[in-house]
Amino acid sequence: MLEHTFCHLPGIDILEEAKLWDQGILHWEEYRELLKEKVKDPSDMHSRLLLDSLDFSRKEMDRKNWDYFFFALPNQQKWRLFPIIRENLLYLDIETSGLGSTDFVTVVGTYDGKNFKTYLRGRNMDDFPEELSNSHVFVTYNGAAFDVPFLEREFGRKFKNRHLDLMYILRSLGIKGGLKGSEKALGIKRDLPYEVNGADAVRLWWQYVQYDDQDALDLLLKYNKEDVVNLELLFIKAYNLKIKDTRFFGEVITETQS
């Protein structure tokens, strides 16, 4: 999808981009050939700027400099990066002891599309920032307002990783109701003995701490894993819905739940 994208170029918004698509200009290379003809007119400075910007986009894509596209793309269009940065995505969800200013992170779950990892308070949570790479792109649900600030307070540092918050992508599709509501709206089912929510996660943590209840801990960790792994499936479904609104609906991603 990124190579069909023109709305990151100077002076081109999504309406101008749609006009190019309607004219049959569907790929960077096609637009480049058109611009090469236009720049033969030395007075056409805008076409020269567009051509230079397009060539720069190709260069940065070949370098896998995704920071450039995070900067250049409008916020509402960053979803287009999904297929090309997929190997850099780190799905992330946390559990906490509560929602107050003195509460803390109890569980951090991460998933890179292949491997799921749990960081548990009192065991290995300090490994989380050590094992995090600057190239990781966080994918969360409402993580910009909740998960990342909580983590930054927990570890006393700022995380400078790029971030895609699925809540906003899903809301742009009219899908609301929180993470669980979004899953239900998109037909994603959970493999848990009963429906667990955020308040239950807090209760399960304290039940484990106060009574050494291993069953409570096991359920908490399984709940967190469902939260994290389902983020990938949510992103796939959201991406496919987004791309179906373009003329590139043939490039949908196969939905496979890990």
Side-chain angles (χ1 to χ4, degrees):
M1 183 63 202
L2 186 58
E3 292 183 82
H4 302 308
T5 294
F6 306 114
C7 63
H8 68 297
L9 301 175
I12 297 185
D13 58 17
I14 57 172
L15 296 178
E16 291 298 318
E17 178 184 67
K19 290 179 183 178
L20 289 171
W21 291 343
D22 289 341
Q23 295 167 25
I25 302 167
L26 307 177
H27 193 276
W28 285 355
E29 296 308 315
E30 293 170 347
Y31 196 29
R32 189 174 185 277
E33 291 304 311
L34 176 65
L35 292 170
K36 281 171 63 178
E37 289 299 314
K38 288 189 173 185
V39 297
K40 291 178 180 178
D41 177 356
S43 67
D44 192 344
M45 299 304 294
H46 187 237
S47 290
R48 168 53 62 186
L49 177 61
L50 286 170
L51 183 59
D52 289 346
S53 298
L54 198 57
D55 287 343
F56 189 75
S57 295
R58 171 58 65 192
K59 176 183 174 183
E60 296 310 297
M61 185 172 178
D62 290 344
R63 291 178 56 214
K64 296 186 177 181
N65 179 15
W66 312 129
D67 279 347
Y68 167 70
F69 295 100
F70 269 96
F71 170 78
L73 280 168
N75 285 335
Q76 299 87 346
Q77 304 304 324
K78 288 181 172 55
W79 61 269
R80 302 184 186 197
L81 290 167
F82 178 36
I84 205 161
I85 65 169
R86 198 167 180 182
E87 64 183 22
N88 298 92
L89 299 181
L90 188 71
Y91 301 93
L92 172 70
D93 187 79
I94 68 170
E95 311 304 334
T96 68
S97 63
L99 300 177
S101 59
T102 60
D103 282 299
F104 48 83
V105 178
T106 59
V107 181
V108 181
T110 65
Y111 178 60
D112 63 4
K114 296 178 182 177
N115 301 304
F116 172 81
K117 185 154 188 180
T118 295
Y119 300 89
L120 180 65
R121 189 174 195 85
R123 292 190 188 174
N124 65 338
M125 187 172 290
D126 289 342
D127 293 343
F128 169 71
E130 300 301 321
E131 295 179 357
L132 187 64
S133 168
N134 290 333
S135 66
H136 281 136
V137 177
F138 291 157
V139 181
T140 67
Y141 187 96
N142 195 32
F146 182 74
D147 301 73
V148 173
F150 238 109
L151 286 168
E152 290 180 339
R153 190 175 74 191
E154 177 74 30
F155 294 107
R157 56 169 287 186
K158 289 287 185 181
F159 293 100
K160 297 181 180 180
N161 299 71
R162 294 293 184 178
H163 188 176
L164 293 167
D165 194 325
L166 293 182
M167 182 176 75
Y168 299 104
I169 298 174
L170 290 164
R171 282 185 177 180
S172 73
L173 291 163
I175 300 170
K176 301 179 181 180
L179 175 60
K180 315 302 183 295
S182 298
E183 289 175 357
K184 290 178 180 178
L186 293 173
I188 299 172
K189 296 181 180 180
R190 292 193 162 220
D191 182 23
L192 292 172
Y194 60 87
E195 189 167 316
V196 180
N197 57 34
D200 294 323
V202 172
R203 176 184 57 78
L204 289 167
W205 168 256
W206 288 114
Q207 193 170 326
Y208 159 66
V209 170
Q210 293 169 356
Y211 304 105
D212 193 26
D213 188 337
Q214 294 298 314
D215 289 338
L217 177 61
D218 289 345
L219 182 55
L220 174 62
L221 297 182
K222 189 170 184 179
Y223 165 74
N224 176 257
K225 183 175 182 179
E226 293 276 322
D227 277 356
V228 177
V229 174
N230 282 352
L231 288 172
E232 182 184 42
L233 190 52
L234 271 178
F235 204 170
I236 292 171
K237 287 178 176 288
Y239 177 86
N240 286 345
L241 288 172
K242 282 285 194 180
I243 206 169
K244 283 179 180 177
D245 286 337
T246 74
R247 60 178 58 234
F248 309 108
F249 52 86
E251 299 180 16
V252 296
I253 297 174
T254 302
E255 296 176 7
T256 56
Q257 189 164 10
S258 302

